[in-house]
Amino acid sequence: MNIRREQDLFEDYLESVGMEYDSVSGLTQVFMRQNDYDVFFTDRGIEVESYAPMMGNVEFINANQLIDWLEEQ
């Protein structure tokens, strides 16, 4: 997986829908009204950690899958 390309694709989506986020290489923090997420981009895939106590970690194979999931939240 091309980590930089997947992270760029995800951040382009966030900008297009006006979501607030912060970013460093390999990590994008997404700030939403109901919940905040840390999104880690690694060679093994994409892992999302939620700040909500009842939600566990979620894993994805690419940014498109992550975007689909985020739109459902």
PDB file of all heavy atoms in Angstrom, residues 28-40:
ATOM      1  N   THR A  28      -3.664  10.926  10.706  1.00  0.00           N
ATOM      2  CA  THR A  28      -4.615  12.006  10.501  1.00  0.00           C
ATOM      3  C   THR A  28      -5.598  11.975  11.667  1.00  0.00           C
ATOM      4  O   THR A  28      -6.190  10.938  11.941  1.00  0.00           O
ATOM      5  CB  THR A  28      -5.395  11.842   9.180  1.00  0.00           C
ATOM      6  OG1 THR A  28      -4.468  11.817   8.094  1.00  0.00           O
ATOM      7  CG2 THR A  28      -6.383  12.978   8.979  1.00  0.00           C
ATOM      8  N   GLN A  29      -5.749  13.091  12.364  1.00  0.00           N
ATOM      9  CA  GLN A  29      -6.724  13.193  13.440  1.00  0.00           C
ATOM     10  C   GLN A  29      -7.948  13.906  12.885  1.00  0.00           C
ATOM     11  O   GLN A  29      -7.836  15.010  12.357  1.00  0.00           O
ATOM     12  CB  GLN A  29      -6.160  13.968  14.625  1.00  0.00           C
ATOM     13  CG  GLN A  29      -5.025  13.236  15.315  1.00  0.00           C
ATOM     14  CD  GLN A  29      -4.469  14.045  16.468  1.00  0.00           C
ATOM     15  OE1 GLN A  29      -4.066  15.189  16.287  1.00  0.00           O
ATOM     16  NE2 GLN A  29      -4.454  13.444  17.637  1.00  0.00           N
ATOM     17  N   VAL A  30      -9.119  13.265  13.003  1.00  0.00           N
ATOM     18  CA  VAL A  30     -10.366  13.805  12.476  1.00  0.00           C
ATOM     19  C   VAL A  30     -11.222  14.261  13.658  1.00  0.00           C
ATOM     20  O   VAL A  30     -11.429  13.509  14.608  1.00  0.00           O
ATOM     21  CB  VAL A  30     -11.131  12.741  11.658  1.00  0.00           C
ATOM     22  CG1 VAL A  30     -12.410  13.329  11.082  1.00  0.00           C
ATOM     23  CG2 VAL A  30     -10.245  12.176  10.561  1.00  0.00           C
ATOM     24  N   PHE A  31     -11.719  15.488  13.582  1.00  0.00           N
ATOM     25  CA  PHE A  31     -12.511  16.061  14.667  1.00  0.00           C
ATOM     26  C   PHE A  31     -13.959  16.212  14.200  1.00  0.00           C
ATOM     27  O   PHE A  31     -14.253  16.991  13.300  1.00  0.00           O
ATOM     28  CB  PHE A  31     -11.936  17.419  15.076  1.00  0.00           C
ATOM     29  CG  PHE A  31     -10.452  17.357  15.362  1.00  0.00           C
ATOM     30  CD1 PHE A  31      -9.536  17.907  14.474  1.00  0.00           C
ATOM     31  CD2 PHE A  31      -9.983  16.728  16.501  1.00  0.00           C
ATOM     32  CE1 PHE A  31      -8.173  17.852  14.730  1.00  0.00           C
ATOM     33  CE2 PHE A  31      -8.623  16.661  16.770  1.00  0.00           C
ATOM     34  CZ  PHE A  31      -7.722  17.219  15.880  1.00  0.00           C
ATOM     35  N   MET A  32     -14.848  15.451  14.825  1.00  0.00           N
ATOM     36  CA  MET A  32     -16.267  15.486  14.483  1.00  0.00           C
ATOM     37  C   MET A  32     -17.052  15.874  15.732  1.00  0.00           C
ATOM     38  O   MET A  32     -16.559  15.747  16.850  1.00  0.00           O
ATOM     39  CB  MET A  32     -16.731  14.129  13.960  1.00  0.00           C
ATOM     40  CG  MET A  32     -15.991  13.694  12.699  1.00  0.00           C
ATOM     41  SD  MET A  32     -16.415  12.036  12.169  1.00  0.00           S
ATOM     42  CE  MET A  32     -18.109  12.243  11.677  1.00  0.00           C
ATOM     43  N   ARG A  33     -18.289  16.287  15.542  1.00  0.00           N
ATOM     44  CA  ARG A  33     -19.113  16.688  16.684  1.00  0.00           C
ATOM     45  C   ARG A  33     -19.321  15.541  17.672  1.00  0.00           C
ATOM     46  O   ARG A  33     -19.178  15.709  18.859  1.00  0.00           O
ATOM     47  CB  ARG A  33     -20.482  17.177  16.210  1.00  0.00           C
ATOM     48  CG  ARG A  33     -20.539  18.655  16.043  1.00  0.00           C
ATOM     49  CD  ARG A  33     -21.900  19.083  15.666  1.00  0.00           C
ATOM     50  NE  ARG A  33     -21.860  19.309  14.221  1.00  0.00           N
ATOM     51  CZ  ARG A  33     -22.896  19.429  13.450  1.00  0.00           C
ATOM     52  NH1 ARG A  33     -24.092  19.340  13.946  1.00  0.00           N
ATOM     53  NH2 ARG A  33     -22.760  19.643  12.177  1.00  0.00           N
ATOM     54  N   GLN A  34     -19.674  14.365  17.172  1.00  0.00           N
ATOM     55  CA  GLN A  34     -19.997  13.253  18.048  1.00  0.00           C
ATOM     56  C   GLN A  34     -18.758  12.514  18.542  1.00  0.00           C
ATOM     57  O   GLN A  34     -18.788  11.872  19.584  1.00  0.00           O
ATOM     58  CB  GLN A  34     -20.893  12.217  17.339  1.00  0.00           C
ATOM     59  CG  GLN A  34     -22.177  12.766  16.808  1.00  0.00           C
ATOM     60  CD  GLN A  34     -22.058  13.266  15.375  1.00  0.00           C
ATOM     61  OE1 GLN A  34     -20.965  13.435  14.840  1.00  0.00           O
ATOM     62  NE2 GLN A  34     -23.184  13.524  14.752  1.00  0.00           N
ATOM     63  N   ASN A  35     -17.679  12.564  17.795  1.00  0.00           N
ATOM     64  CA  ASN A  35     -16.528  11.740  18.113  1.00  0.00           C
ATOM     65  C   ASN A  35     -15.285  12.263  17.382  1.00  0.00           C
ATOM     66  O   ASN A  35     -15.404  12.880  16.339  1.00  0.00           O
ATOM     67  CB  ASN A  35     -16.806  10.290  17.684  1.00  0.00           C
ATOM     68  CG  ASN A  35     -15.859   9.310  18.314  1.00  0.00           C
ATOM     69  OD1 ASN A  35     -15.007   9.673  19.119  1.00  0.00           O
ATOM     70  ND2 ASN A  35     -15.979   8.054  17.954  1.00  0.00           N
ATOM     71  N   ASP A  36     -14.144  11.980  17.944  1.00  0.00           N
ATOM     72  CA  ASP A  36     -12.877  12.277  17.281  1.00  0.00           C
ATOM     73  C   ASP A  36     -12.179  10.957  16.981  1.00  0.00           C
ATOM     74  O   ASP A  36     -12.338   9.986  17.718  1.00  0.00           O
ATOM     75  CB  ASP A  36     -11.969  13.131  18.167  1.00  0.00           C
ATOM     76  CG  ASP A  36     -12.527  14.528  18.406  1.00  0.00           C
ATOM     77  OD1 ASP A  36     -13.344  14.986  17.584  1.00  0.00           O
ATOM     78  OD2 ASP A  36     -12.141  15.148  19.397  1.00  0.00           O
ATOM     79  N   TYR A  37     -11.411  10.926  15.905  1.00  0.00           N
ATOM     80  CA  TYR A  37     -10.743   9.702  15.484  1.00  0.00           C
ATOM     81  C   TYR A  37      -9.269   9.965  15.190  1.00  0.00           C
ATOM     82  O   TYR A  37      -8.919  11.017  14.667  1.00  0.00           O
ATOM     83  CB  TYR A  37     -11.366   9.163  14.185  1.00  0.00           C
ATOM     84  CG  TYR A  37     -12.824   8.830  14.283  1.00  0.00           C
ATOM     85  CD1 TYR A  37     -13.793   9.740  13.889  1.00  0.00           C
ATOM     86  CD2 TYR A  37     -13.241   7.591  14.758  1.00  0.00           C
ATOM     87  CE1 TYR A  37     -15.133   9.437  13.962  1.00  0.00           C
ATOM     88  CE2 TYR A  37     -14.584   7.289  14.842  1.00  0.00           C
ATOM     89  CZ  TYR A  37     -15.533   8.203  14.440  1.00  0.00           C
ATOM     90  OH  TYR A  37     -16.859   7.909  14.524  1.00  0.00           O
ATOM     91  N   ASP A  38      -8.433   8.999  15.536  1.00  0.00           N
ATOM     92  CA  ASP A  38      -7.053   8.960  15.067  1.00  0.00           C
ATOM     93  C   ASP A  38      -7.004   7.926  13.957  1.00  0.00           C
ATOM     94  O   ASP A  38      -7.435   6.786  14.154  1.00  0.00           O
ATOM     95  CB  ASP A  38      -6.085   8.545  16.181  1.00  0.00           C
ATOM     96  CG  ASP A  38      -5.867   9.639  17.206  1.00  0.00           C
ATOM     97  OD1 ASP A  38      -6.182  10.805  16.908  1.00  0.00           O
ATOM     98  OD2 ASP A  38      -5.369   9.327  18.303  1.00  0.00           O
ATOM     99  N   VAL A  39      -6.506   8.297  12.790  1.00  0.00           N
ATOM    100  CA  VAL A  39      -6.430   7.389  11.646  1.00  0.00           C
ATOM    101  C   VAL A  39      -4.956   7.156  11.340  1.00  0.00           C
ATOM    102  O   VAL A  39      -4.241   8.091  10.968  1.00  0.00           O
ATOM    103  CB  VAL A  39      -7.160   7.970  10.417  1.00  0.00           C
ATOM    104  CG1 VAL A  39      -7.125   6.986   9.262  1.00  0.00           C
ATOM    105  CG2 VAL A  39      -8.602   8.349  10.768  1.00  0.00           C
ATOM    106  N   PHE A  40      -4.514   5.908  11.518  1.00  0.00           N
ATOM    107  CA  PHE A  40      -3.116   5.549  11.303  1.00  0.00           C
ATOM    108  C   PHE A  40      -2.973   4.851   9.954  1.00  0.00           C
ATOM    109  O   PHE A  40      -3.691   3.885   9.668  1.00  0.00           O
ATOM    110  CB  PHE A  40      -2.619   4.611  12.416  1.00  0.00           C
ATOM    111  CG  PHE A  40      -2.616   5.246  13.772  1.00  0.00           C
ATOM    112  CD1 PHE A  40      -3.708   5.126  14.611  1.00  0.00           C
ATOM    113  CD2 PHE A  40      -1.521   5.983  14.197  1.00  0.00           C
ATOM    114  CE1 PHE A  40      -3.709   5.713  15.864  1.00  0.00           C
ATOM    115  CE2 PHE A  40      -1.516   6.574  15.447  1.00  0.00           C
ATOM    116  CZ  PHE A  40      -2.617   6.441  16.282  1.00  0.00           C
TER     117      PHE A  40
END
